[in-house]
PDB file of all heavy atoms in Angstrom:
ATOM      1  N   ASN A  28     -87.955-157.128 194.434  1.00 83.00           N
ATOM      2  CA  ASN A  28     -88.161-156.090 195.424  1.00 83.00           C
ATOM      3  C   ASN A  28     -86.824-155.456 195.721  1.00 83.00           C
ATOM      4  O   ASN A  28     -85.804-156.127 195.743  1.00 83.00           O
ATOM      5  CB  ASN A  28     -88.763-156.675 196.705  1.00 83.00           C
ATOM      6  CG  ASN A  28     -89.082-155.597 197.729  1.00 83.00           C
ATOM      7  OD1 ASN A  28     -89.587-154.547 197.396  1.00 83.00           O
ATOM      8  ND2 ASN A  28     -88.783-155.867 198.982  1.00 83.00           N
ATOM      9  N   ALA A  29     -86.824-154.148 195.945  1.00 84.00           N
ATOM     10  CA  ALA A  29     -85.571-153.441 196.286  1.00 84.00           C
ATOM     11  C   ALA A  29     -85.756-152.802 197.656  1.00 84.00           C
ATOM     12  O   ALA A  29     -86.800-152.244 197.961  1.00 84.00           O
ATOM     13  CB  ALA A  29     -85.267-152.375 195.259  1.00 84.00           C
ATOM     14  N   GLU A  30     -84.730-152.930 198.486  1.00 86.00           N
ATOM     15  CA  GLU A  30     -84.673-152.231 199.751  1.00 86.00           C
ATOM     16  C   GLU A  30     -83.436-151.347 199.713  1.00 86.00           C
ATOM     17  O   GLU A  30     -82.330-151.852 199.536  1.00 86.00           O
ATOM     18  CB  GLU A  30     -84.576-153.206 200.925  1.00 86.00           C
ATOM     19  CG  GLU A  30     -85.805-154.077 201.071  1.00 86.00           C
ATOM     20  CD  GLU A  30     -85.684-155.018 202.242  1.00 86.00           C
ATOM     21  OE1 GLU A  30     -85.111-154.641 203.281  1.00 86.00           O
ATOM     22  OE2 GLU A  30     -86.161-156.142 202.103  1.00 86.00           O
ATOM     23  N   THR A  31     -83.629-150.050 199.817  1.00 88.00           N
ATOM     24  CA  THR A  31     -82.524-149.122 199.710  1.00 88.00           C
ATOM     25  C   THR A  31     -82.471-148.243 200.952  1.00 88.00           C
ATOM     26  O   THR A  31     -83.500-147.794 201.446  1.00 88.00           O
ATOM     27  CB  THR A  31     -82.672-148.225 198.467  1.00 88.00           C
ATOM     28  OG1 THR A  31     -83.938-147.557 198.523  1.00 88.00           O
ATOM     29  CG2 THR A  31     -82.624-149.054 197.180  1.00 88.00           C
ATOM     30  N   TYR A  32     -81.261-148.018 201.424  1.00 87.00           N
ATOM     31  CA  TYR A  32     -81.063-147.202 202.636  1.00 87.00           C
ATOM     32  C   TYR A  32     -79.883-146.282 202.393  1.00 87.00           C
ATOM     33  O   TYR A  32     -78.932-146.621 201.703  1.00 87.00           O
ATOM     34  CB  TYR A  32     -80.786-148.076 203.850  1.00 87.00           C
ATOM     35  CG  TYR A  32     -81.891-149.036 204.135  1.00 87.00           C
ATOM     36  CD1 TYR A  32     -81.870-150.337 203.640  1.00 87.00           C
ATOM     37  CD2 TYR A  32     -82.996-148.625 204.878  1.00 87.00           C
ATOM     38  CE1 TYR A  32     -82.915-151.208 203.889  1.00 87.00           C
ATOM     39  CE2 TYR A  32     -84.043-149.487 205.129  1.00 87.00           C
ATOM     40  CZ  TYR A  32     -83.982-150.786 204.630  1.00 87.00           C
ATOM     41  OH  TYR A  32     -85.033-151.653 204.883  1.00 87.00           O
ATOM     42  N   VAL A  33     -79.961-145.086 202.996  1.00 88.00           N
ATOM     43  CA  VAL A  33     -78.880-144.113 202.893  1.00 88.00           C
ATOM     44  C   VAL A  33     -78.706-143.467 204.273  1.00 88.00           C
ATOM     45  O   VAL A  33     -79.682-143.301 205.000  1.00 88.00           O
ATOM     46  CB  VAL A  33     -79.156-143.074 201.804  1.00 88.00           C
ATOM     47  CG1 VAL A  33     -80.364-142.226 202.124  1.00 88.00           C
ATOM     48  CG2 VAL A  33     -77.950-142.219 201.534  1.00 88.00           C
ATOM     49  N   TYR A  34     -77.456-143.153 204.607  1.00 90.00           N
ATOM     50  CA  TYR A  34     -77.159-142.476 205.873  1.00 90.00           C
ATOM     51  C   TYR A  34     -76.848-141.015 205.603  1.00 90.00           C
ATOM     52  O   TYR A  34     -76.141-140.693 204.669  1.00 90.00           O
ATOM     53  CB  TYR A  34     -75.966-143.135 206.554  1.00 90.00           C
ATOM     54  CG  TYR A  34     -76.276-144.503 207.087  1.00 90.00           C
ATOM     55  CD1 TYR A  34     -76.114-145.629 206.301  1.00 90.00           C
ATOM     56  CD2 TYR A  34     -76.733-144.666 208.383  1.00 90.00           C
ATOM     57  CE1 TYR A  34     -76.405-146.894 206.797  1.00 90.00           C
ATOM     58  CE2 TYR A  34     -77.043-145.924 208.885  1.00 90.00           C
ATOM     59  CZ  TYR A  34     -76.862-147.027 208.095  1.00 90.00           C
ATOM     60  OH  TYR A  34     -77.165-148.279 208.560  1.00 90.00           O
ATOM     61  N   ASP A  35     -77.365-140.137 206.479  1.00 89.00           N
ATOM     62  CA  ASP A  35     -77.022-138.734 206.367  1.00 89.00           C
ATOM     63  C   ASP A  35     -75.758-138.443 207.163  1.00 89.00           C
ATOM     64  O   ASP A  35     -75.168-139.346 207.768  1.00 89.00           O
ATOM     65  CB  ASP A  35     -78.205-137.833 206.786  1.00 89.00           C
ATOM     66  CG  ASP A  35     -78.553-137.927 208.256  1.00 89.00           C
ATOM     67  OD1 ASP A  35     -77.774-138.535 209.044  1.00 89.00           O
ATOM     68  OD2 ASP A  35     -79.617-137.402 208.628  1.00 89.00           O
ATOM     69  N   SER A  36     -75.344-137.200 207.192  1.00 94.00           N
ATOM     70  CA  SER A  36     -74.094-136.817 207.843  1.00 94.00           C
ATOM     71  C   SER A  36     -74.163-136.986 209.356  1.00 94.00           C
ATOM     72  O   SER A  36     -73.123-136.966 210.020  1.00 94.00           O
ATOM     73  CB  SER A  36     -73.719-135.372 207.484  1.00 94.00           C
ATOM     74  OG  SER A  36     -74.741-134.492 207.912  1.00 94.00           O
ATOM     75  N   HIS A  37     -75.360-137.165 209.916  1.00 96.00           N
ATOM     76  CA  HIS A  37     -75.513-137.339 211.341  1.00 96.00           C
ATOM     77  C   HIS A  37     -75.651-138.810 211.737  1.00 96.00           C
ATOM     78  O   HIS A  37     -75.894-139.156 212.877  1.00 96.00           O
ATOM     79  CB  HIS A  37     -76.736-136.580 211.846  1.00 96.00           C
ATOM     80  CG  HIS A  37     -76.662-135.113 211.574  1.00 96.00           C
ATOM     81  ND1 HIS A  37     -75.825-134.257 212.258  1.00 96.00           N
ATOM     82  CD2 HIS A  37     -77.328-134.343 210.666  1.00 96.00           C
ATOM     83  CE1 HIS A  37     -75.952-133.036 211.778  1.00 96.00           C
ATOM     84  NE2 HIS A  37     -76.861-133.069 210.807  1.00 96.00           N
ATOM     85  N   GLY A  38     -75.536-139.709 210.727  1.00 93.00           N
ATOM     86  CA  GLY A  38     -75.652-141.143 210.993  1.00 93.00           C
ATOM     87  C   GLY A  38     -77.064-141.673 211.018  1.00 93.00           C
ATOM     88  O   GLY A  38     -77.280-142.843 211.352  1.00 93.00           O
ATOM     89  N   ASN A  39     -78.040-140.843 210.635  1.00 94.00           N
ATOM     90  CA  ASN A  39     -79.428-141.308 210.575  1.00 94.00           C
ATOM     91  C   ASN A  39     -79.628-142.088 209.302  1.00 94.00           C
ATOM     92  O   ASN A  39     -79.156-141.720 208.229  1.00 94.00           O
ATOM     93  CB  ASN A  39     -80.374-140.110 210.615  1.00 94.00           C
ATOM     94  CG  ASN A  39     -80.226-139.311 211.886  1.00 94.00           C
ATOM     95  OD1 ASN A  39     -80.202-139.864 212.974  1.00 94.00           O
ATOM     96  ND2 ASN A  39     -80.096-138.009 211.745  1.00 94.00           N
ATOM     97  N   CYS A  40     -80.381-143.173 209.398  1.00 92.00           N
ATOM     98  CA  CYS A  40     -80.621-144.067 208.252  1.00 92.00           C
ATOM     99  C   CYS A  40     -82.033-143.825 207.716  1.00 92.00           C
ATOM    100  O   CYS A  40     -83.002-143.763 208.478  1.00 92.00           O
ATOM    101  CB  CYS A  40     -80.444-145.508 208.686  1.00 92.00           C
ATOM    102  SG  CYS A  40     -80.674-146.697 207.363  1.00 92.00           S
ATOM    103  N   PHE A  41     -82.151-143.716 206.397  1.00 87.00           N
ATOM    104  CA  PHE A  41     -83.447-143.494 205.748  1.00 87.00           C
ATOM    105  C   PHE A  41     -83.601-144.454 204.581  1.00 87.00           C
ATOM    106  O   PHE A  41     -82.643-144.741 203.876  1.00 87.00           O
ATOM    107  CB  PHE A  41     -83.536-142.064 205.188  1.00 87.00           C
ATOM    108  CG  PHE A  41     -83.384-141.000 206.234  1.00 87.00           C
ATOM    109  CD1 PHE A  41     -82.149-140.435 206.490  1.00 87.00           C
ATOM    110  CD2 PHE A  41     -84.481-140.566 206.961  1.00 87.00           C
ATOM    111  CE1 PHE A  41     -82.007-139.457 207.460  1.00 87.00           C
ATOM    112  CE2 PHE A  41     -84.346-139.590 207.914  1.00 87.00           C
ATOM    113  CZ  PHE A  41     -83.106-139.047 208.168  1.00 87.00           C
ATOM    114  N   GLY A  42     -84.810-144.935 204.363  1.00 83.00           N
ATOM    115  CA  GLY A  42     -85.109-145.696 203.178  1.00 83.00           C
ATOM    116  C   GLY A  42     -85.407-144.738 202.032  1.00 83.00           C
ATOM    117  O   GLY A  42     -86.399-144.016 202.084  1.00 83.00           O
ATOM    118  N   ARG A  43     -84.542-144.659 201.053  1.00 85.00           N
ATOM    119  CA  ARG A  43     -84.689-143.722 199.937  1.00 85.00           C
ATOM    120  C   ARG A  43     -84.223-144.365 198.642  1.00 85.00           C
ATOM    121  O   ARG A  43     -83.594-145.420 198.660  1.00 85.00           O
ATOM    122  CB  ARG A  43     -83.834-142.469 200.156  1.00 85.00           C
ATOM    123  CG  ARG A  43     -84.235-141.620 201.323  1.00 85.00           C
ATOM    124  CD  ARG A  43     -85.397-140.689 200.950  1.00 85.00           C
ATOM    125  NE  ARG A  43     -85.623-139.700 201.979  1.00 85.00           N
ATOM    126  CZ  ARG A  43     -86.508-139.832 202.941  1.00 85.00           C
ATOM    127  NH1 ARG A  43     -87.224-140.905 203.050  1.00 85.00           N
ATOM    128  NH2 ARG A  43     -86.665-138.870 203.823  1.00 85.00           N
ATOM    129  N   TYR A  44     -84.507-143.713 197.537  1.00 90.00           N
ATOM    130  CA  TYR A  44     -83.999-144.080 196.203  1.00 90.00           C
ATOM    131  C   TYR A  44     -84.502-145.440 195.744  1.00 90.00           C
ATOM    132  O   TYR A  44     -83.816-146.160 195.074  1.00 90.00           O
ATOM    133  CB  TYR A  44     -82.462-144.012 196.154  1.00 90.00           C
ATOM    134  CG  TYR A  44     -81.925-142.735 196.734  1.00 90.00           C
ATOM    135  CD1 TYR A  44     -81.170-142.741 197.873  1.00 90.00           C
ATOM    136  CD2 TYR A  44     -82.216-141.514 196.131  1.00 90.00           C
ATOM    137  CE1 TYR A  44     -80.691-141.545 198.421  1.00 90.00           C
ATOM    138  CE2 TYR A  44     -81.758-140.323 196.669  1.00 90.00           C
ATOM    139  CZ  TYR A  44     -80.989-140.356 197.808  1.00 90.00           C
ATOM    140  OH  TYR A  44     -80.522-139.182 198.352  1.00 90.00           O
ATOM    141  N   ASN A  45     -85.710-145.788 196.130  1.00 89.00           N
ATOM    142  CA  ASN A  45     -86.296-147.056 195.715  1.00 89.00           C
ATOM    143  C   ASN A  45     -87.305-146.779 194.607  1.00 89.00           C
ATOM    144  O   ASN A  45     -88.332-146.124 194.824  1.00 89.00           O
ATOM    145  CB  ASN A  45     -86.997-147.727 196.903  1.00 89.00           C
ATOM    146  CG  ASN A  45     -87.473-149.112 196.601  1.00 89.00           C
ATOM    147  OD1 ASN A  45     -87.674-149.468 195.454  1.00 89.00           O
ATOM    148  ND2 ASN A  45     -87.669-149.910 197.627  1.00 89.00           N
ATOM    149  N   PRO A  46     -87.053-147.262 193.386  1.00 90.00           N
ATOM    150  CA  PRO A  46     -87.961-146.989 192.271  1.00 90.00           C
ATOM    151  C   PRO A  46     -89.333-147.642 192.438  1.00 90.00           C
ATOM    152  O   PRO A  46     -90.270-147.292 191.728  1.00 90.00           O
ATOM    153  CB  PRO A  46     -87.234-147.531 191.046  1.00 90.00           C
ATOM    154  CG  PRO A  46     -86.245-148.508 191.579  1.00 90.00           C
ATOM    155  CD  PRO A  46     -85.900-148.052 192.962  1.00 90.00           C
ATOM    156  N   LEU A  47     -89.461-148.580 193.375  1.00 88.00           N
ATOM    157  CA  LEU A  47     -90.751-149.218 193.588  1.00 88.00           C
ATOM    158  C   LEU A  47     -91.682-148.354 194.439  1.00 88.00           C
ATOM    159  O   LEU A  47     -92.875-148.631 194.516  1.00 88.00           O
ATOM    160  CB  LEU A  47     -90.562-150.577 194.284  1.00 88.00           C
ATOM    161  CG  LEU A  47     -89.705-151.593 193.558  1.00 88.00           C
ATOM    162  CD1 LEU A  47     -89.589-152.858 194.393  1.00 88.00           C
ATOM    163  CD2 LEU A  47     -90.278-151.914 192.196  1.00 88.00           C
ATOM    164  N   ILE A  48     -91.143-147.320 195.063  1.00 89.00           N
ATOM    165  CA  ILE A  48     -91.925-146.499 195.983  1.00 89.00           C
ATOM    166  C   ILE A  48     -92.042-145.074 195.430  1.00 89.00           C
ATOM    167  O   ILE A  48     -91.083-144.472 195.019  1.00 89.00           O
ATOM    168  CB  ILE A  48     -91.266-146.421 197.375  1.00 89.00           C
ATOM    169  CG1 ILE A  48     -91.001-147.808 197.944  1.00 89.00           C
ATOM    170  CG2 ILE A  48     -92.067-145.559 198.334  1.00 89.00           C
ATOM    171  CD1 ILE A  48     -92.254-148.602 198.205  1.00 89.00           C
ATOM    172  N   ASN A  49     -93.273-144.551 195.438  1.00 88.00           N
ATOM    173  CA  ASN A  49     -93.497-143.138 195.121  1.00 88.00           C
ATOM    174  C   ASN A  49     -93.570-142.436 196.455  1.00 88.00           C
ATOM    175  O   ASN A  49     -94.574-142.484 197.161  1.00 88.00           O
ATOM    176  CB  ASN A  49     -94.813-142.966 194.344  1.00 88.00           C
ATOM    177  CG  ASN A  49     -95.078-141.536 193.987  1.00 88.00           C
ATOM    178  OD1 ASN A  49     -94.702-140.622 194.713  1.00 88.00           O
ATOM    179  ND2 ASN A  49     -95.749-141.330 192.882  1.00 88.00           N
ATOM    180  N   TYR A  50     -92.449-141.802 196.853  1.00 86.00           N
ATOM    181  CA  TYR A  50     -92.352-141.192 198.180  1.00 86.00           C
ATOM    182  C   TYR A  50     -93.268-139.989 198.350  1.00 86.00           C
ATOM    183  O   TYR A  50     -93.748-139.734 199.444  1.00 86.00           O
ATOM    184  CB  TYR A  50     -90.903-140.824 198.480  1.00 86.00           C
ATOM    185  CG  TYR A  50     -90.015-142.023 198.633  1.00 86.00           C
ATOM    186  CD1 TYR A  50     -89.180-142.419 197.605  1.00 86.00           C
ATOM    187  CD2 TYR A  50     -90.034-142.764 199.798  1.00 86.00           C
ATOM    188  CE1 TYR A  50     -88.366-143.518 197.744  1.00 86.00           C
ATOM    189  CE2 TYR A  50     -89.233-143.867 199.945  1.00 86.00           C
ATOM    190  CZ  TYR A  50     -88.391-144.263 198.920  1.00 86.00           C
ATOM    191  OH  TYR A  50     -87.607-145.357 199.049  1.00 86.00           O
ATOM    192  N   ALA A  51     -93.575-139.285 197.273  1.00 88.00           N
ATOM    193  CA  ALA A  51     -94.450-138.118 197.370  1.00 88.00           C
ATOM    194  C   ALA A  51     -95.881-138.531 197.700  1.00 88.00           C
ATOM    195  O   ALA A  51     -96.585-137.850 198.449  1.00 88.00           O
ATOM    196  CB  ALA A  51     -94.415-137.326 196.068  1.00 88.00           C
TER     197      ALA A  51
END
Side-chain angles (χ1 to χ4, degrees):
N28 184 42
E30 295 181 36
T31 56
Y32 301 94
V33 65
Y34 289 89
D35 66 11
S36 60
H37 302 287
N39 300 312
C40 182
F41 301 93
R43 295 278 191 265
Y44 312 114
N45 188 338
L47 301 178
I48 305 296
N49 180 329
Y50 292 102

